[in-house]
Structures are given as C-alpha cells and as structure tokens.
Amino acid sequence: MKILFLDQSGKPGGAELCLIDIAKPYCDRALVGLFADGDFKTLLEQNQIPVEILTNQAIAVRKQSNLLQAFASLGQLAPLIAKVVEKAYKYDIIYANTQKALVVGAIASFVTRRPLVYHLHDILSLEHFSKTNLRVAINLANRFASLVIANSQASQKAFVQAGGKPELTTVVYNGFDPKTYQTCDEDIQKLRQQLGLENKFVVGHFSRLSPWKGQHILIEAIAKCPPQVTAILVGDALFGEQDYVQQLHQQIAQLGLENRVKFLGFRADIPQLMAACDLVTHTSTAPEPFGRVIVEAMLCGTPVIAAKAGGAMELVEHGVNGFLVTPGESQELAEVINTCVQETEITATIASQARNIASQRFDVANVNQQIAKSLKVIGDR
Ligand code: UDP
Ligand code: GLC
C-alpha cells in the first residue's frame, strides 16, 4: 500500500515524532509531504523516509483564527493543493497528520478519489482551538475522512462531542521502541556531572516551552521544595512563544531560583536525560491529548508525575505506575515531589512497574500492526 503522509510542520513536535514511527514501515513506498522546512525533514531523512517540502510559503491560519482569516488562507493554499493533488494520484491513501494537512488532504482526496485518513493528535475543544477551526476540522473529517485515528480516548471523546462521527474513529496510542530507552549507568553519571547535577534531586520537564505546557507551575513548585531539588527544562519554544520564555526567566529571578532551574533547550538525547533525572514532571494546564513524555519517562525507569486531565489519565494510574496531580496546582505538585524525595523505595517500585507495563502497552511493533490493519480495511474498500 502506497501512502502519501501530509504534515504542516517543519519542526519535530510530538505528532511529528509519532509520524516517523508510523511512516517507517512504509518507507519504500511512501512520501511525507511537509508544508514547511526544518529539523523534522532531517529526522525523516535520517530514518530513510522519503520527504519533500511541498511549499515555501508560510500558511497564515493559526489555532485561534476566525472564518474570514480561514477563507483568506484558502486562496493562499491553492498552489500547495495543486501539488498535493498531483502527488496523490501516485498513492493509494492520503494520511493527514495535522489540521492544515486535513484541509489540504480533504480537497486532494475529493479530487483524486483517494481515501483520506486523519490522525487526530489534538483535543478538539475550545481550550485549544477557535470555534471556526473546530468547525472546519470536524466538518472536513466527517465529510471526507474514511478513518479518524485518535491518539487517546480523550481526543476521540472531544472529537465526538464537537460533532465528529463516532463510527469514523478508532483509538491508537503512540508506539515506542523500548530498546531506545535503555541507557548505560556510566553515561548517565557522566551526563549528570557535565550538567552540574551531582548531589541534587533532579526534576525534569520535557516539553516545548509553551504556556499550556505549564513550565511555570513546576517553577512555582520548586520554590516550595527543599534546596537540593533542582529542575531541568528540556525543550524549546517551537512555535514562537518567546513572551512565555521571558516570563519564565522573570519568574525564576523573582523567586531567586537561578541556581535551581536550568534551561537545556531542544535536545536529541531524551532517553539519557530522562534517565539522569530522579523524577519527571508533566504539568500541562489544559488537557494533554496523549503526552509522549509521560510514556518515555516510564520507559526510562524514571518516576513520573502527570497533570490529571485528558490522555494523561489513560497513561497513569496514581500510585501504580506514576502519580497524578490537579493541573495548575503547584502546592499539590510540590507535596508529591517531596513524597518522592522521601519515599525512595516505594517510588522506585512504582517506576519499575511503570517501565514493565509501558514496554508492553506502547510497543511500537503492536501499534504499527494496529495501524496496518485499519489501513488495509480502508484500502480494500
Ligand atoms: N522532545 C525532544 N526534545 C526536547 C523536548 C522534547 O525530542 O528537547 C520530544 C519528547 O521526547 C516527546 C516530544 O518531543 O517525544 C513531545 O511530545 P509530547 O507528546 O509530550 O508533547 P507535544 O509537544 O507533542 O504536545
Ligand atoms: C500532539 C499532542 C500530544 C501527543 C502528540 C502525539 O502533539 O499535543 O499530547 O502526545 O501529539 O500524539
């Protein structure tokens, strides 16, 4: 089966990293068409996945745009749509991995009569999107998609609540190769040394810097923890959230935490860094659609505290394979961090259970089989 994957981003966010694993088995008969250049392209190339940038023009629609702006951008999309249509004739399925890819993919699917699959990585609610963008996504999916793959039950539920047809949907979690997350103790000690983290209790946060990812909540919590508790913030402002980055620096200065919070920027050595942490926290203030970082921390054997909302609630069972705290509540987060500092034995048992459960539950080989089965049904119709 030949697949034309479409993704609007040139940057490697979670949806894009997930796409690498999905496209890999099809690399001899697939193309990933991107609507922007960037590091994601390099990552696809490193994985031997054919990739092409389909437009050089930035697409103006933002997550919060209105109907007029949405229409204005359609005209701007014309050359891109023409290019995707031309490509799509050579493939059996169009696989849209993001919302703008859905818009372009839906039109191409209509013109070329190729079935459309929409991989839904978002919670389609007003917390995350404008009313217009929600309506456009739901209507296009209902009218043109043969299958909507939701990355969690939370994303599926939001899709249906916003008017999406339930019969189109199936839930497939992100898959991971557990081997990638096995690290060598010696390397980890070296890394802690290099980062000046010896003798500290290191709390890691691994997300792009963005207000709803809630790095400010962790910083607030660190101020309420004993002095050996230190945080590393791993990730960059991928989508231009520079004001937020400034706010974080101001907050750190106001709380006098300059020596206890380090920004490491975007990193490629996530398994090593996670293994170097004593704890990983996930602090999203809006419901997380899935939360790759939560599963990755589990696979590294590092205990994880997650914000209790959205897909994170499907990944973590409090006290069994991690901890859940109320989103936005820094006091509660600080209390659970302190419990982990003190109750090292129970915490280590929970982390080890989490590693075992996650290795099976999110095994990329099983996930890819699930996707292959669904695509076969669509292709055979
Ligand atoms: N990530 C990374 N380098 C960084 C920060 C994050 O490679 O410096 C990865 C992280 O390991 C995870 C992904 O980016 O696989 C983020 O995915 P997630 O689902 O947690 O959140 P998203 O950003 O997609 O909303
Ligand atoms: C999106 C979501 C994130 C999810 C990822 C992979 O980027 O924000 O929660 O883990 O897609 O499905």
Side-chain angles (χ1 to χ4, degrees):
M1 190 176 310
K2 293 169 75 181
I3 307 178
L4 175 61
F5 293 99
L6 299 174
D7 192 296
Q8 72 201 45
S9 178
K11 297 184 179 164
E16 288 68 37
L17 295 172
C18 172
L19 184 63
I20 294 177
D21 289 317
I22 292 171
K24 235 192 242 172
Y26 302 94
C27 64
D28 55 341
R29 57 213 135 107
L31 175 69
V32 179
L34 301 182
F35 304 171
D37 202 349
D39 293 341
F40 179 36
K41 179 176 176 247
T42 316
L43 280 177
L44 287 160
E45 284 165 347
Q46 283 166 356
N47 282 278
Q48 274 83 47
I49 301 167
V51 52
E52 212 179 302
I53 310 292
L54 301 178
T55 175
N56 290 319
Q57 224 187 341
I59 302 170
V61 196
R62 305 196 72 85
K63 278 193 170 181
Q64 300 297 339
S65 58
N66 62 35
L67 201 59
L68 209 68
Q69 288 163 322
F71 269 125
S73 63
L74 257 186
Q76 193 196 36
L77 288 178
L80 171 62
I81 293 169
K83 205 159 190 181
V84 171
V85 165
E86 181 202 318
K87 299 261 173 225
Y89 279 114
K90 299 185 202 121
Y91 294 87
D92 304 311
I93 287 184
I94 301 172
Y95 192 113
N97 200 50
T98 58
Q99 283 211 40
K100 287 169 203 164
L102 170 67
V103 175
V104 175
I107 300 171
S109 160
F110 178 71
V111 175
T112 63
R113 301 272 141 225
R114 299 298 188 269
L116 174 72
V117 173
Y118 176 34
H119 197 141
L120 174 61
H121 291 280
D122 294 306
I123 289 190
L124 293 178
S125 71
L126 292 171
E127 258 170 306
H128 286 281
F129 294 95
S130 72
K131 228 178 179 175
T132 307
N133 284 3
L134 275 190
R135 222 183 306 151
V136 169
I138 298 288
N139 287 336
L140 288 177
N142 279 349
R143 168 76 179 79
F144 297 103
S146 302
L147 174 68
V148 175
I149 299 177
N151 66 351
S152 65
Q153 288 168 36
S155 297
Q156 180 194 42
K157 199 169 156 201
F159 176 79
V160 173
Q161 266 174 1
K165 289 183 188 163
E167 65 273 20
L168 289 178
T169 64
T170 183
V171 173
V172 180
Y173 290 138
N174 280 216
F176 301 83
D177 181 357
K179 282 202 297 295
T180 310
Y181 299 89
Q182 284 163 10
T183 50
C184 148
D185 280 351
E186 217 176 291
D187 292 349
I188 301 311
Q189 287 320 318
K190 256 192 232 154
L191 188 56
R192 280 183 74 113
Q193 216 173 23
Q194 275 167 15
L195 295 171
L197 297 172
E198 294 154 302
N199 308 319
K200 308 271 188 212
F201 185 93
V202 183
V203 181
H205 195 293
F206 296 78
S207 285
R208 54 201 159 87
L209 303 175
S210 175
W212 77 272
K213 290 292 188 180
Q215 279 85 358
H216 59 288
I217 303 294
L218 174 60
I219 295 169
E220 249 171 61
I222 294 292
K224 298 177 174 123
C225 290
Q228 81 271 27
V229 179
T230 297
I232 55 170
L233 303 182
V234 184
D236 219 340
L238 287 189
F239 304 111
E241 299 94 337
Q242 286 312 325
D243 289 354
Y244 183 60
V245 179
Q246 267 202 330
Q247 277 171 35
L248 292 178
H249 284 287
Q250 275 167 10
Q251 185 192 10
I252 290 166
Q254 271 160 11
L255 293 168
L257 293 175
E258 289 91 339
N259 295 325
R260 290 173 61 196
V261 182
K262 282 181 199 293
F263 289 84
L264 301 192
F266 188 89
R267 301 274 298 222
D269 54 347
I270 296 300
Q272 289 70 22
L273 282 167
M274 282 188 171
C277 291
D278 296 289
L279 186 64
V280 166
T281 52
H282 161 270
T283 57
S284 294
T285 54
E288 183 72 52
F290 176 77
R292 291 175 59 86
V293 291
I294 298 169
V295 177
E296 290 173 319
M298 290 176 174
L299 292 171
C300 292
T302 305
V304 61
I305 305 177
K308 190 177 176 183
M313 291 166 70
E314 296 160 48
L315 310 181
V316 179
E317 199 180 333
H318 186 76
V320 175
N321 61 350
F323 305 91
L324 289 169
V325 292
T326 313
E329 291 293 329
S330 62
Q331 180 59 39
E332 195 183 328
L333 178 60
E335 281 163 21
V336 181
I337 294 175
N338 281 327
T339 308
C340 293
V341 174
Q342 284 158 16
E343 308 280 346
T344 48
E345 228 168 276
I346 301 175
T347 306
T349 309
I350 288 177
S352 150
Q353 268 167 205
R355 186 177 218 161
N356 291 337
I357 301 169
S359 305
Q360 296 186 6
R361 194 167 170 222
F362 304 102
D363 188 339
V364 70
N366 297 338
V367 168
N368 281 343
Q369 261 181 21
Q370 232 180 311
I371 291 186
K373 260 194 212 158
S374 299
L375 295 186
K376 191 172 179 311
V377 174
I378 302 300
D380 287 348
R381 266 187 207 158

